[in-house]
Amino acid sequence: ALEPLSVGLAIGVASALTGYLSHPRFYCSYVECCPTAGQRLNATALKVQLDTKLFGQHLAKDVVLKAVMGFSNNPSPKKPLTLSLHGWAGTGKNFLSQILAEHVHPAGLRSKFVHLFLATLHFPHQDQVTVYKEQLQNWIRGNVSACPHSVFIFDEMDKMHPGLMDAIKPFLDYYEQVDGVSYRKAIFIFLSNAGGDLINKAALDFWTSGRHREEIQLKDLEPMLSVGIFNNKNS
């Protein structure tokens, strides 16, 4: 038979070891965990990455950096962060979204908290829109319930059925909760080729007038881009 003192000591050691192994700091060093409420993005590191890796996109870099850091530093945002990146293929939309995802979740696109949707791959059949809407809403709801800081990237938005955008919209608005779930700390990124021709025309106009590309400001693009995309029947 074991001495009472020995039994007590064994139970104490086992309890302490179990507590240590289950501590979030230890556990999350081996298993990916959702960021805690107090965690903030490293603004300096994000800026350095954008400065050194993203070329020719001064507007996207400045606007996105400001929006992301403002959102991250707000302990109680009123709505999710929603970014819509436009331009022709090869301009860096996917690249920028990957950089952002990696700063929220270090594993980036490999993270279980980062979700990438391709319109032509995940929603290929127009006659299945009703099914897609229900599946998409359930997927978003389930993943935000598991991690409020989930990141959702929707590529090929110009090829996505309008009904799917309607399905996403309730999660993007100024609601404290939707069906008992708060989406205010999630990030939604939409990538689209729509408006790329308008952006290129504006850049060409600047070049022909002898002005530098870096002189283009958001106010030079945003009004015509909004109207052009709104009036695009395929967008």
Side-chain angles (χ1 to χ4, degrees), residues 43-142:
T44 303
L46 178 57
K47 186 178 186 306
V48 168
Q49 273 222 310
L50 293 177
D51 286 339
T52 56
K53 294 186 176 181
L54 187 67
F55 299 100
Q57 300 294 349
H58 67 286
L59 279 181
K61 180 183 71 174
D62 294 343
V63 172
V64 167
L65 182 62
K66 181 179 179 180
V68 170
M69 297 319 304
F71 178 75
S72 176
N73 292 329
N74 185 350
S76 183
K78 299 298 183 183
K79 64 189 294 294
L81 175 62
T82 308
L83 301 171
S84 187
L85 307 180
H86 297 261
W88 276 5
T91 53
K93 301 184 300 296
N94 274 290
F95 185 57
L96 177 54
S97 63
Q98 289 175 35
I99 291 176
L100 292 179
E102 289 170 1
H103 276 268
V104 181
H105 304 287
L109 294 181
R110 294 178 287 106
S111 170
K112 62 184 178 182
F113 305 123
V114 176
H115 313 280
L116 173 64
F117 297 93
L118 304 175
T120 54
L121 176 64
H122 295 103
F123 316 110
H125 306 296
Q126 297 288 319
D127 58 345
Q128 296 292 315
V129 171
T130 302
V131 175
Y132 294 152
K133 287 172 66 174
E134 183 177 355
Q135 291 176 340
L136 183 56
Q137 288 184 331
N138 288 336
W139 180 261
I140 294 174
R141 184 182 301 111

Side-chain angles (χ1 to χ4, degrees), residues 158 192-195 197 226-235:
D158 47 307
S192 176
N193 291 347
D197 52 341
S226 299
V227 173
I229 294 173
F230 182 79
N231 291 328
N232 183 351
K233 295 181 180 179
N234 297 320
S235 176

